mmCIF file of all heavy atoms in Angstrom:
data_model
loop_
_atom_site.group_PDB
_atom_site.id
_atom_site.type_symbol
_atom_site.label_atom_id
_atom_site.label_comp_id
_atom_site.label_asym_id
_atom_site.label_seq_id
_atom_site.Cartn_x
_atom_site.Cartn_y
_atom_site.Cartn_z
ATOM 1 N N GLY A 1613 -42.211 37.528 28.433
ATOM 2 C CA GLY A 1613 -41.882 38.577 29.365
ATOM 3 C C GLY A 1613 -42.015 39.945 28.745
ATOM 4 O O GLY A 1613 -42.275 40.060 27.521
ATOM 5 N N TYR A 1614 -41.851 40.969 29.556
ATOM 6 C CA TYR A 1614 -41.945 42.349 29.108
ATOM 7 C C TYR A 1614 -40.582 42.995 29.207
ATOM 8 O O TYR A 1614 -39.958 43.022 30.280
ATOM 9 C CB TYR A 1614 -42.974 43.122 29.951
ATOM 10 C CG TYR A 1614 -44.350 42.473 29.982
ATOM 11 C CD1 TYR A 1614 -44.641 41.446 30.877
ATOM 12 C CD2 TYR A 1614 -45.330 42.891 29.099
ATOM 13 C CE1 TYR A 1614 -45.896 40.850 30.892
ATOM 14 C CE2 TYR A 1614 -46.584 42.314 29.095
ATOM 15 C CZ TYR A 1614 -46.849 41.272 30.009
ATOM 16 O OH TYR A 1614 -48.096 40.686 30.004
ATOM 17 N N ASP A 1615 -40.097 43.529 28.119
ATOM 18 C CA ASP A 1615 -38.693 43.998 28.058
ATOM 19 C C ASP A 1615 -38.541 45.358 28.727
ATOM 20 O O ASP A 1615 -38.901 46.387 28.168
ATOM 21 C CB ASP A 1615 -38.271 44.080 26.575
ATOM 22 C CG ASP A 1615 -36.763 44.208 26.424
ATOM 23 O OD1 ASP A 1615 -36.091 44.500 27.437
ATOM 24 O OD2 ASP A 1615 -36.271 44.038 25.307
ATOM 25 N N LEU A 1616 -37.983 45.334 29.918
ATOM 26 C CA LEU A 1616 -37.725 46.574 30.619
ATOM 27 C C LEU A 1616 -36.308 47.111 30.297
ATOM 28 O O LEU A 1616 -36.036 48.300 30.426
ATOM 29 C CB LEU A 1616 -37.819 46.393 32.158
ATOM 30 C CG LEU A 1616 -39.206 45.967 32.686
ATOM 31 C CD1 LEU A 1616 -39.164 45.866 34.197
ATOM 32 C CD2 LEU A 1616 -40.273 46.927 32.228
ATOM 33 N N LYS A 1617 -35.419 46.222 29.850
ATOM 34 C CA LYS A 1617 -34.071 46.649 29.504
ATOM 35 C C LYS A 1617 -34.082 47.629 28.339
ATOM 36 O O LYS A 1617 -33.303 48.619 28.307
ATOM 37 C CB LYS A 1617 -33.209 45.450 29.131
ATOM 38 C CG LYS A 1617 -31.756 45.803 28.801
ATOM 39 C CD LYS A 1617 -30.949 44.590 28.467
ATOM 40 C CE LYS A 1617 -31.402 43.940 27.166
ATOM 41 N NZ LYS A 1617 -30.652 42.748 26.800
ATOM 42 N N GLU A 1618 -34.975 47.407 27.372
ATOM 43 C CA GLU A 1618 -35.073 48.299 26.216
ATOM 44 C C GLU A 1618 -35.424 49.710 26.718
ATOM 45 O O GLU A 1618 -34.911 50.689 26.194
ATOM 46 C CB GLU A 1618 -36.135 47.798 25.239
ATOM 47 C CG GLU A 1618 -36.211 48.630 23.990
ATOM 48 C CD GLU A 1618 -37.200 48.100 22.972
ATOM 49 O OE1 GLU A 1618 -37.907 47.116 23.321
ATOM 50 O OE2 GLU A 1618 -37.309 48.656 21.895
ATOM 51 N N LEU A 1619 -36.322 49.789 27.705
ATOM 52 C CA LEU A 1619 -36.683 51.076 28.264
ATOM 53 C C LEU A 1619 -35.509 51.664 29.014
ATOM 54 O O LEU A 1619 -35.188 52.853 28.886
ATOM 55 C CB LEU A 1619 -37.902 50.938 29.183
ATOM 56 C CG LEU A 1619 -39.212 50.540 28.541
ATOM 57 C CD1 LEU A 1619 -40.292 50.303 29.595
ATOM 58 C CD2 LEU A 1619 -39.663 51.610 27.543
ATOM 59 N N LEU A 1620 -34.880 50.825 29.856
ATOM 60 C CA LEU A 1620 -33.726 51.286 30.651
ATOM 61 C C LEU A 1620 -32.648 51.899 29.774
ATOM 62 O O LEU A 1620 -32.105 52.963 30.123
ATOM 63 C CB LEU A 1620 -33.104 50.111 31.402
ATOM 64 C CG LEU A 1620 -33.635 49.708 32.787
ATOM 65 C CD1 LEU A 1620 -32.964 48.422 33.224
ATOM 66 C CD2 LEU A 1620 -33.413 50.811 33.789
ATOM 67 N N ARG A 1621 -32.354 51.254 28.696
ATOM 68 C CA ARG A 1621 -31.273 51.699 27.841
ATOM 69 C C ARG A 1621 -31.746 52.680 26.759
ATOM 70 O O ARG A 1621 -30.975 53.124 25.923
ATOM 71 C CB ARG A 1621 -30.570 50.500 27.198
ATOM 72 C CG ARG A 1621 -29.908 49.644 28.285
ATOM 73 C CD ARG A 1621 -29.152 48.437 27.743
ATOM 74 N NE ARG A 1621 -28.571 47.666 28.842
ATOM 75 C CZ ARG A 1621 -27.878 46.537 28.696
ATOM 76 N NH1 ARG A 1621 -27.661 46.039 27.473
ATOM 77 N NH2 ARG A 1621 -27.395 45.928 29.769
ATOM 78 N N GLY A 1622 -33.010 53.061 26.867
ATOM 79 C CA GLY A 1622 -33.560 54.049 25.959
ATOM 80 C C GLY A 1622 -33.742 55.405 26.592
ATOM 81 O O GLY A 1622 -34.464 56.263 26.087
ATOM 82 N N ASN A 1623 -33.063 55.604 27.738
ATOM 83 C CA ASN A 1623 -33.034 56.900 28.412
ATOM 84 C C ASN A 1623 -34.392 57.400 28.837
ATOM 85 O O ASN A 1623 -34.662 58.600 28.817
ATOM 86 C CB ASN A 1623 -32.342 57.954 27.485
ATOM 87 C CG ASN A 1623 -30.902 57.606 27.201
ATOM 88 O OD1 ASN A 1623 -30.164 57.192 28.101
ATOM 89 N ND2 ASN A 1623 -30.492 57.780 25.959
ATOM 90 N N VAL A 1624 -35.280 56.454 29.261
ATOM 91 C CA VAL A 1624 -36.577 56.887 29.763
ATOM 92 C C VAL A 1624 -36.407 57.348 31.220
ATOM 93 O O VAL A 1624 -35.419 57.026 31.894
ATOM 94 C CB VAL A 1624 -37.615 55.760 29.684
ATOM 95 C CG1 VAL A 1624 -37.820 55.326 28.259
ATOM 96 C CG2 VAL A 1624 -37.216 54.585 30.590
#
Side-chain angles (χ1 to χ4, degrees):
Y1614 303 85
D1615 194 347
L1616 298 182
K1617 182 180 68 181
E1618 184 178 6
L1619 294 175
L1620 272 174
R1621 296 181 180 179
N1623 297 318
V1624 300

